[in-house]
Structure formats: C-alpha cells, structure tokens
Amino acid sequence: MNADYEGEMMATFVALEKKHDISGRVRQFIDASVRYHGFPAPGVILGAYMVDLALEKLGAEPGDRLFAVAETAKCVSDSIGVITGCTPGSSKFLLFNTGRIALAVGRDDGTGIARCVRAYVVCERTRSYPALRAWYFNEPDAKGNLPALLEDILVAGRGILGWERVDVPIPPKDDQWKPAICASCGEMVPDKMLVGDRCRACSAGSCYMEKK
Amino acid sequence: MNADYEGEMMATFVALEKKHDISGRVRQFIDASVRYHGFPAPGVILGAYMVDLALEKLGAEPGDRLFAVAETAKCVSDSIGVITGCTPGSSKFLLFNTGRIALAVGRDDGTGIARCVRAYVVCERTRSYPALRAWYFNEPDAKGNLPALLEDILVAGRGILGWERVDVPIPPKDDQWKPAICASCGEMVPDKMLVGDRCRACSAGSCYMEKK
C-alpha cells in the first residue's frame, strides 16, 4: 500500500461514515481506532464495534479500570488499546492468540479475576454481507473492492457480533527474574530469556540480518 | 496500583518534566506515550527517548513510511505505536522478544528490507543513575521510590542509550490461510491455528475459566 492509496481509502471511509450516519460513542471509537492504526483497516473498525458492544454489556466506560484480551494479533489489539487504555505494552492486556476474531473486556476489580464480556463474530450472520464475508473467510481478492468491504462493515456494525460472559484470571506481572548479561552483545536480558549464555538475537534466529 | 496512586504519579511526573525543562519533540513523544499507556511507566518514557534517538539518526519523521521492531513485550511497544504509527496490530510492527530493552525503527521503502536504527540501553551508562539502574536490573523494591526513578530517567534521557544500524527483512503478511470452523465453538479460525479439529481455546489451555 502506498500513501496515495491510504489517503484515498481514508476519504472513501469518511464519506461512508457520513452516508450511513455513523454517530455517537461508536463513531468516536471507530475514528480513534482508525487514527491510531493509520488506515481504515476492516479489523480495526470491527474491533471498535466489538469493544463498544463489550463495554455496553459490561456497563463500563473507557476510563474505568479494565482488563482486556485480544484473540488475534491483528488489528483488533489497536482498537482495544486506544479505546480502553488496555494497551499491549501494559499489564492490562493479554494476547491469547486463538485466531478467532474476538476480544474480551472486563473490570479489574482487584480480585485477580476479570469478569469480562467477550465479543465475537458469528459466522452465520456474515451471510447478508458478501464483501465482508469474503474478507472474513480470506477469499482471494477479498480486499480487491475495499470500499464495498468497508461499507459492509459499517452497515453490519454489531449485527454480525455475538457476546458472552467469560472470566479471565489476570496473569501475574512477570517480574520474577534476575538480570543476566548476554555473553555476545553485552546487553542485559532477564535470565530466563537467555539461550545458553546468549540472548535470543545472539544465539539463533535474529530478526536482524547478519552484517557482512 | 489504584487510580489515586496513578493520579499522584502523573502529577509528580508533570512537575518533574517542568523542573528539568523537558521540551521539544521528545517532550511531545514522551507525553503522547504516557497518555496512551495511561501512566508514566519508566519503560514508556525510555521508549519515547529510544524512538526519538532512532528517528533522529534515521533522519525520519513520525509521518514517514516506517517499520519497527520491539525487543520486549513490555511498555516500549506502546511508545513505538503511538509515535511512529507502527502499531502492534499492523503489519508495520514486529515483536522480536529478546528481553533486551531495545527497539529498531527504519524506513519501509518497498524493497522488503527495512534499514533501521536500533536503540538500546548501554548497561555501563546506567551507573550514574542509581534509581534507574535498580529498576533496570530489577532489584527488589526498585519501584519503591518511583519519583526518584522517573527523575533519573528524565535526567539521563538518551545519555544511557546506544544505537547502531541494522537491517530487518520485513515479514510477509500472514495471509496464506484457509478458513476452518472449530468443531466445538463453531467460530472461524485460520486452518493453521487449529489444534486437531478445534481452536486453541476449545482444545487445551484457554485463558478463560471453565464455566461451572
């Protein structure tokens, strides 16, 4: 994707929001999510609808003390972070990667268990939205007509979502570690992250290319 | 942590920024990161300094087409996302969890390889900052005096950081999958995420508590 394409999609998206009179709290949630993500990706818009539904069923507001679970590493975590404050870099967030397009938001009341509402896509309900369904099922060229896909998502809104109550034990903060120094790069890593006497980047399989 | 404590720390932090005359671009980066994270956590402030350093050495601005790597799942990913737009839910972000307090930011020029600047903490340079050093080495009660820790971080700034150039092959988008339906919950998951005929949540080890 290039910047021109992103700009064009943004203009298309804003026009669609107007056309379908998307307003109120969910509009704020959608716009904040898209702004943070940088692009009107289907997943962040859907994510905003899911967070909105979960908060409503929970009777909660974004400023409340919350805990959240994302069930996919894609897109929806951006909506969760920017709307609820349960950011991926905080202890209020858990990535439980099932691959389902789903999330859960609950209150953290200090008991160690978050009483959450989980929002998810109900397969059957996508039938009425062909472009959305094609994207959901990862059909070839599903993103070929992004305007149609974005329109389907805005028209469907929470109409394709289901919800249920779930309880999530909040993982304890991972602060039980001692400092260790990588024998190769000399940087500090938590001892339990060492592979032998080296950090993961210096032992095997760095994401950085070897220097020639 | 409760809301009162967070509010108190926020006030302390704002006063420290003023006392040490933190200003310019890095101040904007710090404030945006703290606002997004919801709390002046040491890691997000350090993250803001690291992103600032990387962008400067790269000669880049937040609006440029960038790609970023976080080397820890904690805190710094929040700074990266909110400053650079390389959000954890986007394909512009890679979590390469080495446990090192480090990140890399580079230009995505369409070649498939991001030419990055990696910013990291230089162990030796933390010596001059006792509270920061105690936190960095995860000493017991290192967070007991959070004001001293925050002050050390603001005074140290990029003084404890090193940087180097690294190249990162940008991972291809993970869009090669076929839809599968979990035999238990009936939700759609990418086929390769199935464990047998079930999704991860329905097979073993869900993050959700079993319903009685």
Side-chain angles (χ1 to χ4, degrees), chain A:
Chain A
M1 281 188 299
N2 58 44
D4 284 353
Y5 180 76
E6 288 194 0
E8 196 184 308
M9 277 309 116
M10 201 59 211
T12 301
F13 180 66
V14 170
L16 285 170
E17 282 190 311
K18 192 169 177 190
K19 177 180 170 189
H20 294 287
D21 197 22
I22 309 300
S23 60
R25 184 172 87 162
V26 78
R27 169 72 183 263
Q28 292 170 31
F29 288 177
I30 292 170
D31 290 353
S33 302
V34 168
R35 200 178 312 120
Y36 177 59
H37 190 73
F39 180 73
V44 291
I45 305 163
L46 198 50
Y49 278 109
M50 289 197 286
V51 174
D52 181 57
L53 175 63
L55 287 176
E56 183 186 297
K57 298 303 176 188
L58 206 61
E61 296 290 329
D64 295 347
R65 180 153 294 264
L66 303 169
F67 179 83
V69 177
E71 289 199 33
T72 162
K74 298 174 193 166
C75 293
V76 302
S77 64
D78 285 351
S79 310
I80 292 172
V82 83
I83 299 171
T84 66
C86 302
T87 65
S90 77
S91 52
K92 303 171 183 177
F93 178 90
L94 174 68
L95 174 62
F96 174 56
N97 196 355
T98 67
R100 299 186 294 193
I101 299 183
L103 54 79
V105 183
R107 290 188 187 281
D108 175 4
D109 60 3
T111 60
I113 295 175
R115 313 288 175 182
C116 297
V117 169
R118 176 176 180 268
Y120 58 96
V121 174
V122 180
C123 292
E124 282 302 299
R125 298 190 188 156
T126 61
R127 284 193 191 281
S128 314
Y129 311 96
L132 168 55
R133 191 172 175 86
W135 168 77
Y136 178 68
F137 284 115
N138 199 32
E139 288 174 11
D141 300 321
K143 285 185 177 170
N145 190 347
L146 197 55
L149 169 54
L150 294 177
E151 186 154 24
D152 263 8
I153 291 176
L154 289 176
V155 172
R158 62 165 71 175
I160 57 165
L161 303 179
W163 66 278
E164 62 182 334
R165 295 194 186 276
V166 291
D167 293 338
V168 183
I170 297 177
K173 270 195 104 167
D174 178 27
D175 55 7
Q176 297 300 309
W177 54 271
K178 291 192 190 316
I181 303 293
C182 169
S184 177
C185 66
E187 290 181 49
M188 191 280 294
V189 293
D191 52 351
K192 57 188 169 188
M193 301 286 290
L194 280 184
V195 184
D197 62 355
R198 296 172 181 218
C199 77
R200 189 179 151 200
C202 294
S203 51
S206 175
C207 77
Y208 305 120
M209 293 167 81
E210 275 201 53
K211 283 174 185 140
K212 304 266 162 58

